[in-house]
Amino acid sequence: MSAGIIAGLAGWHALAGTQAPDPQWALETAYHYPEGQIDAASVGKLGVAWEFDGFVVRGRTNRGVEATPVVVDGVMYATGPWSVVYALDARTGRLLWQYDPDVDGSFARRTCCDAVNRGVAVVDGTVYVATLDGYLVALDAKTGKPLWKADTITDRSRSYAITGAPRVAGNVVVIGNGGGEMGVRGYASAYDRRTGKLAWRFFVVPGDPQAGPDESPDVTEARKTWDPHSAWDLGGGGTPWDSIVYDPDTNTVYLGTGNGSPHPLWLRSPAGGDNLYLSSIVALDADTGRKKWHYQTTPGDSWDYTATQNMILADLDIGGKRRKVIMQAPKNGFFYVLDRLTGELLSAEKYTTVTWADRVDLKTGRPVISDQSNFSEKAKLVWPSEAGGHNWPPMSYSPETGLVYIPVLEAPMIFSMAPTPYRPYSNVQGSVGAFPTVASWGGTQDASVLAGQPAPRFEQVLKAWDPVKQKVAWTSRVMPFWSGGTMTTSNGLVMQGSADGYLNIYDGRSGTLLHRINIGTGILASPMSYTIDGTQYVAVAAGFGGAMNRSFLPGWAAMDRVNAPRLLVFRIGGDQPRLPPRVVATPLVPAPARFRGSEEQVRRGQQLFAHNCLRCHASADSPGGYPDLWKMAPETHEVFEQIVLGGAYSYAGMASFADVLSKDDAMAIHAYLAAPVKKDEAGAKTMH
Ligand code: CA
């Protein structure tokens, strides 16, 4: 260790502090709380100040709650499933207003991972929210009345949807979109924050050259890194669905971009190429949307290695020099520190087990990709999995400890080519990923695939990462797989929720678990904190879902207790949390005999189910967030065709599939569901 290398303390960017002259209230400010009275000595007395449980639930399916609330002038602005905004009195939890954009429920089919929303931006008395069905809406912060609404989708025949939060960047508000698993072309749009007029649009990947000229020189530059005969009709992907951060000092918007679509490079851009600007950090001029610089974390992505994880701006002392940096721990397992003014790569070290690349060459800035990464000919065990070393739950930085707290997923995946071609909207991304150690998710212990590789694990850990020394300071293993985002406070505390329903509070320097509170509901979102009249509060949204909503695992709160969305606010001396009611197990319900089919129908139905239904509905009697189709009531069987083809349950998120399934197809799926149950027949789990 070099004596000249110390993490910057006072230099934490104004975005994270209350000293900012014109605070741009966005999520990035919420992940570090720069003041407060709750400390290691008092944290054991944290109890519930109030709870809000009035979230909109459609049908009987509980959806994930992934948003960190924002508190401005005593009002908490939170979002829940279906892009509904709630304004709550931050002292009492009293609902002041609610804005339900009444989103088209069929858009749930267009998302990889649930009808979630990741929150609002609030500035100058205006609340900005983006909706699942692709609109950006400005609301009066006092009344919740819409001021303007913009359609952000360029092509509504494609599978775009929005689950991310907008960010205010100077005069504009910026929003991305999702659909990188579904055959779309990713882009971000910026709107004048007062009028809602489109200011600019940045396309992450080139479009079909037949469709018209490139939209900008930035797109033309990217095109050089794609096969001219790329599968343009499949969109290319790159959707910047969550990670947007603004630096007011330089009026720069940073976008974290998504994976390629379809997943394998060789299906997307057969001659290869880096495929810019997939899996990249892109710096844009906030006024024009023109690129200042880019850094691609995963050239030629084939592993769903998005760079859509949250990015942190900080000032660090590196090599005796104060550097304005941007930090990200994308899915691919490397922790990147870049000079945010120039894009210069300062460091890139592994924060988890990584086998797709040996290292990142700091001279070229490129990863040294290993043979183990190539699954075009045969199945390969690759670290990290498609879930990434770090997924969307935000990491946080503490200027007091100089450490970044990363929710790390330690798991590899067996990647192989899908036996059937890529199909937008379906469960087929061109490749198949299976967690080797999770039998219920299609796992297998194939000795020949595992030979010579690090032994598979399936673990969630919290890592404290030193971004200057580029190494792990400590690791905590108290949570089950897929837990929540982190937040830090100036008292050196780190808070993180977990799939098992606990809010964990650590000493950020040592990693000691100081206290944990059981709320009985799985937590994905990062907590946040605020102070009113001298009382510090900690808020966290709970409600499991997202990519994990399909199949629950032992140890998760959702296995034992009803997984309804809720928002809890704690203070010193508060009450015991209320635990939700226990889940009551229900038996399989035999289908009415007349829906049985021939063996051939059942076989075809099983295949159709795997392609079209399995993304949400798990196999028989396997606990999960979506309806178990082997437990349908007799009346539901009677309207099966109206549901699958007619869209009868579209409002609740079960869209019509009439565009890809015929009446015969629907009958075959029904015959499969009506056939006597064989265990573990539903196939591999894939994740995005
Ligand atoms: Ca993805």
Side-chain angles (χ1 to χ4, degrees):
M1 145 185 173
S2 154
I5 297 179
I6 45 162
L9 296 185
W12 173 242
H13 195 271
L15 270 177
T18 51
Q19 74 276 21
D22 177 21
Q24 305 290 321
W25 286 101
L27 294 171
E28 282 65 31
T29 63
Y31 306 142
H32 176 72
Y33 190 60
E35 52 185 299
Q37 61 195 184
I38 301 169
D39 58 17
S42 62
V43 72
K45 300 192 197 80
L46 267 188
V48 175
W50 55 265
E51 173 174 351
F52 174 73
D53 62 1
F55 286 91
V56 169
V57 174
R58 292 189 179 189
R60 285 173 297 162
T61 301
N62 285 307
R63 305 284 181 163
V65 188
E66 300 189 351
T68 296
V70 169
V71 174
V72 180
D73 296 338
V75 178
M76 176 180 292
Y77 301 94
T79 69
W82 304 109
S83 329
V84 180
V85 185
Y86 307 88
L88 305 162
D89 183 324
R91 284 181 191 79
T92 65
R94 186 170 66 91
L95 183 67
L96 303 174
W97 55 257
Q98 173 175 324
Y99 171 74
D100 186 341
D102 196 23
V103 301
D104 177 348
S106 73
F107 274 67
R109 182 182 156 194
R110 301 183 178 218
T111 69
C112 77
C113 310
D114 204 352
V116 297
N117 184 276
R118 294 191 184 79
V120 296
V122 183
V123 67
D124 287 350
T126 307
V127 178
Y128 301 92
V129 66
T131 68
L132 194 70
D133 52 0
Y135 295 92
L136 179 66
V137 187
L139 304 169
D140 184 311
K142 283 219 165 59
T143 64
K145 295 276 181 294
L147 302 170
W148 55 258
K149 177 177 174 179
D151 182 356
T152 77
I153 304 297
T154 53
D155 178 356
R156 288 202 166 259
S157 73
R158 296 264 174 179
S159 195
Y160 289 104
I162 302 181
T163 59
R167 310 302 205 280
V168 170
N171 295 318
V172 297
V173 54
V174 185
I175 188 67
N177 45 56
E181 267 64 52
M182 315 276 175
V184 306
R185 180 187 180 202
Y187 60 86
S189 313
Y191 296 85
D192 182 297
R193 65 182 171 91
R194 290 169 191 90
T195 65
K197 188 172 171 291
L198 182 69
W200 50 260
R201 186 162 272 150
F202 178 84
F203 285 92
V204 174
V205 297
D208 186 342
Q210 305 288 318
D214 290 342
E215 290 83 355
S216 79
D218 299 327
V219 172
T220 304
E221 181 191 339
R223 188 178 294 286
K224 293 175 191 146
T225 65
W226 290 71
D227 184 339
H229 304 292
S230 287
W232 302 115
D233 56 320
L234 300 180
T239 48
W241 49 268
D242 190 36
S243 186
I244 305 166
V245 64
Y246 176 61
D247 184 353
D249 291 349
T250 57
N251 198 36
T252 305
V253 172
Y254 301 94
L255 285 185
T257 71
N259 56 272
S261 182
H263 285 175
L265 171 65
W266 44 94
L267 297 187
R268 190 172 67 238
S269 177
D274 288 353
N275 288 190
L276 290 171
Y277 303 98
L278 295 179
S279 308
S280 300
I281 298 170
V282 184
L284 306 175
D285 182 301
D287 289 334
T288 64
R290 287 297 311 278
K291 183 168 72 73
K292 294 184 173 182
W293 56 260
H294 72 271
Y295 177 78
Q296 189 173 43
T297 61
T298 310
D301 168 51
S302 293
W303 312 272
D304 195 8
Y305 286 162
T306 61
T308 53
Q309 287 54 50
N310 72 305
M311 300 176 289
I312 293 174
L313 310 183
D315 293 356
L316 299 181
D317 288 334
I318 296 174
K321 250 171 91 179
R322 171 139 296 217
R323 305 294 295 251
K324 289 184 173 298
V325 304
I326 185 166
M327 303 187 280
Q328 192 189 42
K331 272 188 180 180
N332 77 11
F334 289 94
F335 190 98
Y336 296 88
V337 181
L338 300 163
D339 182 313
R340 72 172 179 271
L341 303 179
T342 63
E344 181 195 350
L345 178 65
L346 300 178
S347 64
E349 287 298 326
K350 295 173 180 177
Y351 64 86
T352 184
T353 306
V354 175
T355 64
W356 70 276
D358 298 329
R359 62 192 171 82
V360 175
D361 184 328
L362 287 185
K363 282 206 189 71
T364 62
R366 298 179 65 87
V368 179
I369 296 179
S370 71
D371 291 342
Q372 187 63 22
S373 70
N374 187 339
F375 57 92
S376 61
E377 299 295 327
K378 68 190 231 325
K380 293 279 182 68
L381 185 81
V382 182
W383 294 74
S385 76
E386 280 183 6
H390 173 213
N391 208 289
W392 70 266
M395 64 182 192
S396 58
Y397 171 65
S398 165
E400 288 79 18
T401 66
L403 301 174
V404 179
Y405 302 92
I406 317 170
V408 176
L409 300 169
E410 305 229 278
M413 196 164 240
I414 297 173
F415 287 81
S416 58
M417 291 305 292
T420 46
Y422 173 81
R423 288 176 51 192
Y425 277 129
S426 87
N427 199 38
V428 181
Q429 323 301 339
S431 60
V432 175
F435 288 106
T437 61
V438 189
S440 66
W441 290 1
T444 168
Q445 294 281 356
D446 182 335
S448 71
V449 173
L450 306 185
Q453 296 304 309
R457 298 198 301 278
F458 186 76
E459 290 178 1
Q460 167 86 51
V461 299
L462 172 61
K463 288 192 183 180
W465 177 265
D466 188 321
V468 175
K469 294 178 188 160
Q470 303 161 45
K471 61 178 196 184
V472 174
W474 54 260
T475 301
S476 169
R477 300 177 187 279
V478 301
M479 293 153 292
F481 193 84
W482 206 299
S483 291
T486 65
M487 123 198 228
T488 61
T489 76
S490 61
N491 287 334
L493 302 182
V494 178
M495 305 196 189
Q496 182 187 24
S498 167
D500 58 13
Y502 281 84
L503 178 65
N504 296 313
I505 301 143
Y506 303 85
D507 179 317
R509 288 186 177 83
S510 67
T512 304
L513 183 63
L514 297 170
H515 187 52
R516 58 192 326 217
I517 305 171
N518 183 18
I519 66 165
T521 303
I523 302 168
L524 292 163
S526 275
M528 59 81 67
S529 189
Y530 59 97
T531 297
I532 297 177
D533 295 341
T535 300
Q536 185 188 355
Y537 299 87
V538 171
V540 70
F544 215 59
M548 305 284 94
N549 215 20
R550 195 199 114 189
S551 298
F552 294 159
L553 292 176
W556 291 0
M559 284 289 256
D560 299 326
R561 295 188 180 273
V562 173
N563 176 45
R566 50 203 293 229
L567 195 157
L568 283 89
V569 173
F570 299 89
R571 65 171 166 78
I572 299 296
D575 302 326
Q576 282 286 325
R578 172 186 68 83
L579 298 180
R582 296 246 178 221
V583 170
V584 179
T586 53
L588 295 172
V589 181
R594 66 191 187 83
F595 297 114
R596 296 258 179 107
S598 67
E599 219 169 281
E600 161 60 17
Q601 254 182 324
V602 170
R603 193 193 56 75
R604 205 164 70 82
Q606 181 177 358
Q607 235 168 40
L608 290 165
F609 182 88
H611 287 172
N612 299 286
C613 318
L614 188 62
R615 213 147 49 76
C616 297
H617 298 283
S619 51
D621 213 16
S622 162
Y626 301 107
D628 185 329
L629 301 184
W630 285 265
K631 295 179 177 176
M632 286 191 288
E635 310 83 71
T636 311
H637 281 283
E638 296 299 331
V639 294
F640 187 81
E641 200 181 306
Q642 282 108 291
I643 298 168
V644 174
L645 301 179
Y649 290 178
S650 189
Y651 171 79
M654 172 57 201
S656 163
F657 279 68
D659 57 325
V660 290
L661 297 176
S662 67
K663 190 178 156 91
D664 273 1
D665 293 340
M667 283 173 70
I669 292 171
H670 205 174
Y672 167 59
L673 297 173
V677 169
K678 283 178 261 164
K679 275 284 181 187
D680 295 330
E681 59 191 357
K685 161 80 183 171
T686 59
M687 181 184 301
H688 316 292

